Amino acid sequence: MKAVIATEQGSADVLRLTDLPKPTPGPGEVLVRIRATSVNPIDTKVRKAKLPMTPALFPAVLGTDFAGTVEAVGPGVTRFSAQDDVYGFAGGFRGPNGDLPGALADYAVVDADLIARKPGNVDFRSAAALPLTATTAWMALFDKVRITPASRVLITGGAGGVGYPAVQLAHAAGAHVVAVTRSAESAEAAIFAGAGACVDLAVTTAQEIVEDHTDGQGFDVIFDTVGGASLDAAFQMIKPTGDVVTVVGAASHNLAPLYLKGANLHMVLVLVPIMFGTARPQQGEILEKIALLVEEGKLTPRIDPQRFALEDAADAHRKLEAGDAKGKLIIDI
């Protein structure tokens, strides 16, 4: 089969098209004919840096998200059959029992607990855009905290890979959503996704945002997808006893503003089931819920219009790292 391997750690130049043996599914696994995969920031990070989730050995097949068709199932798999269209998490990371090959290949063996049936109303490209970003947003808004129609929710990076589906999910739950964006184009996208208003922390202070959008009370929930100064601002804008959730927690921050409000800080790392082998069935269940929302028209991915083939994987990585993506970058396989 054709596959793209990272020959070693480094720039996008280390990604090379090659031939690899077609894998065979083991117990609890499914062999999938990959139809599309998407590029996430974590895919570029593990290619460059030795992180806890970076594959232990190179060459390595990277690529987290996928959508495709089941070709065969391994012993013990009863939820899926050959010819089922599925989507979910492949790998591209270090697992508890060795590296899990990713989705940049014609075929991939995946854990049956980390996938679900593809939403029936979207194509493989759209489905491949969803697993990491939408599951992260779901975990932040419905596992770590509980939002209701009475909740005032602020989402930073509201037009980004995780922020965009988060706006849609919070809106679908009936919450009043304010999105932090940095351009007119991003604000338009966030409003389309369901934000009631957009703000820019570069031109508006945290206190002004609190006064204008919460009557000075602070937000019930803030989901930070940006980190850095945005997370520090979140500590200023959360209400007393409120909840801040972040996906960018590997940094130093002054927690005094949270402490003085009795507020809570939650971390979300969607790769925990892959890295440690815990809660994998729950991740598949979240994918099933996301698929239902997609079929109900409540969740739609934002996809960059440029198309990439498997041999163009390095170009897709370069575009994401340059900050030029206008939505998820999809690689057709």
Side-chain angles (χ1 to χ4, degrees):
M1 68 174 186
K2 295 295 183 182
V4 169
I5 61 170
T7 58
E8 58 185 338
Q9 288 201 278
S11 72
D13 294 340
V14 303
L15 297 175
R16 303 287 177 82
L17 186 67
T18 189
D19 289 296
L20 293 177
K22 184 178 175 180
T24 301
E29 295 178 335
V30 172
L31 175 66
V32 177
R33 171 66 172 94
I34 305 295
R35 304 293 184 181
T37 182
S38 63
V39 184
N40 293 289
I42 190 63
D43 300 321
T44 67
K45 291 175 182 176
V46 299
R47 192 203 72 229
K48 295 184 294 186
K50 288 193 177 298
L51 305 173
M53 65 284 292
T54 298
L57 299 175
F58 283 79
V61 179
L62 306 181
T64 313
D65 295 339
F66 80 90
T69 303
V70 174
E71 179 155 307
V73 300
V77 176
T78 58
R79 292 174 55 230
F80 303 101
S81 302
Q83 302 307 311
D84 285 344
D85 291 334
V86 295
Y87 82 125
F89 296 84
F93 305 107
R94 183 183 310 194
N97 301 308
D99 295 340
L100 280 71
L104 281 174
D106 288 335
Y107 295 89
V109 164
V110 301
D111 188 329
D113 285 338
L114 295 175
I115 65 175
R117 285 177 174 78
K118 179 181 77 67
N121 62 327
V122 299
D123 60 15
F124 289 108
R125 287 172 53 81
S126 294
L130 290 165
L132 188 144
T133 56
T135 300
T136 298
W138 180 282
M139 293 173 64
L141 296 173
F142 303 119
D143 287 352
K144 295 295 183 178
V145 301
R146 291 288 183 270
I147 60 174
T148 71
S151 300
R152 294 168 297 192
V153 179
L154 181 79
I155 297 172
T156 68
V162 174
Y164 189 78
V167 169
Q168 294 181 80
L169 290 176
H171 174 71
H176 174 69
V177 184
V178 175
V180 178
T181 54
R182 293 185 292 181
S183 69
E185 182 180 9
S186 294
E188 182 180 358
I191 293 295
F192 180 80
C198 290
V199 295
D200 186 347
L201 280 166
V203 298
T204 308
T205 68
Q207 185 58 42
E208 289 171 336
I209 293 170
V210 168
E211 293 293 338
D212 292 343
H213 296 280
T214 71
D215 296 323
Q217 301 302 305
F219 290 92
D220 300 290
V221 173
I222 298 179
F223 180 29
D224 168 59
T225 71
V226 178
S230 291
L231 182 54
D232 291 326
F235 298 162
Q236 302 293 332
M237 294 185 288
I238 197 67
K239 76 172 188 180
T241 72
D243 293 283
V244 176
V245 189
T246 186
V247 295
V248 194
S252 297
H253 294 271
N254 178 12
L255 300 183
L258 284 180
Y259 168 71
L260 294 173
K261 295 177 181 178
N264 309 294
L265 177 62
H266 309 268
M267 307 288 185
V268 172
L269 179 59
V270 75
L271 300 181
V272 164
I274 292 178
M275 295 169 62
F276 301 105
T278 61
R280 289 189 176 186
Q282 290 91 324
Q283 199 148 27
E285 292 168 5
I286 293 173
L287 287 167
E288 291 175 350
K289 295 173 183 177
I290 290 168
L292 181 60
L293 287 172
V294 173
E295 292 174 342
E296 292 174 348
K298 296 177 180 178
L299 182 62
T300 304
R302 185 183 181 210
I303 296 177
D304 187 280
Q306 184 174 356
R307 300 183 78 101
F308 299 90
L310 185 59
E311 58 266 27
D312 304 319
D315 290 335
H317 273 232
R318 292 185 188 101
K319 180 168 181 172
L320 184 64
E321 291 178 293
D324 295 333
K326 305 298 182 183
K328 290 300 293 289
L329 299 178
I330 308 299
I331 298 173
D332 298 303
I333 302 177

